[in-house]
Amino acid sequence: MAGIRALVSLSFSASVGITLLVLGCALPEYQNCWPLFVIVFYLLCPVPTLISRRYADMLEAGTSSALAEMCLFFTSGIVISAFGLPMILAHVNTIQWGACAFVMGGNVVVFLTILGYFFIFSSGDDFNYSTW
């Protein structure tokens, strides 16, 4: 039952984050769809971590590997880019600062949701990828 509650809470928090992002685009005083480009960063964010978990055995030995460190570097670059894009768009007056604040709030909520997903659903992972 705890898995269902975790899944429902993660989906609720993701929908709150996407709602903040849409509010930054659709409110009458903003009316600009440029902030929706951060959805690309939402989709790219878990990819390096999934690659790292598939090919690196860093959880087994307790040590890190070059692949895991590189994937963490790429993930942090994607997250920083998702926070930087709305700030740059607001700085060049493509979007307003209020829309930037909504997008930043949505970024925080969505990236915490992605982090929560990896914490909740990877703790009991008994699946061995090397059997493929």
Side-chain angles (χ1 to χ4, degrees):
M1 190 67 168
I4 299 291
R5 288 183 182 161
L7 189 63
V8 168
S9 65
L10 285 174
S11 63
F12 177 73
S13 64
S15 64
V16 167
I18 298 296
T19 301
L20 287 172
L21 176 65
V22 170
L23 280 175
C25 299
L27 284 178
E29 54 267 2
Y30 304 135
Q31 298 236 338
N32 201 339
C33 66
W34 287 103
L36 286 177
F37 281 106
V38 298
I39 293 176
V40 173
F41 296 119
Y42 296 163
L43 297 175
L44 289 178
C45 179
V47 172
T49 306
L50 293 174
I51 291 171
S52 172
R53 290 186 183 210
R54 169 68 171 92
Y55 291 110
D57 294 326
M58 92 177 176
L59 297 176
E60 299 289 328
T63 61
S64 184
S65 68
L67 176 66
E69 297 296 327
M70 183 181 67
C71 288
L72 287 174
F73 176 75
F74 287 152
T75 301
S76 62
I78 291 169
V79 171
I80 289 171
S81 297
F83 282 99
L85 179 67
M87 292 185 74
I88 290 172
L89 289 175
H91 179 71
V92 297
N93 293 325
T94 304
I95 64 172
Q96 295 178 8
W97 284 102
C100 179
F102 274 119
V103 173
M104 292 294 189
N107 281 346
V108 168
V109 172
V110 169
F111 285 127
L112 286 177
T113 303
I114 293 170
L115 182 68
Y117 173 80
F118 280 112
F119 276 138
I120 291 172
F121 291 109
S122 69
S123 61
D125 191 16
D126 295 333
F127 187 73
N128 189 5
Y129 289 109
S130 64
T131 60
W132 289 10

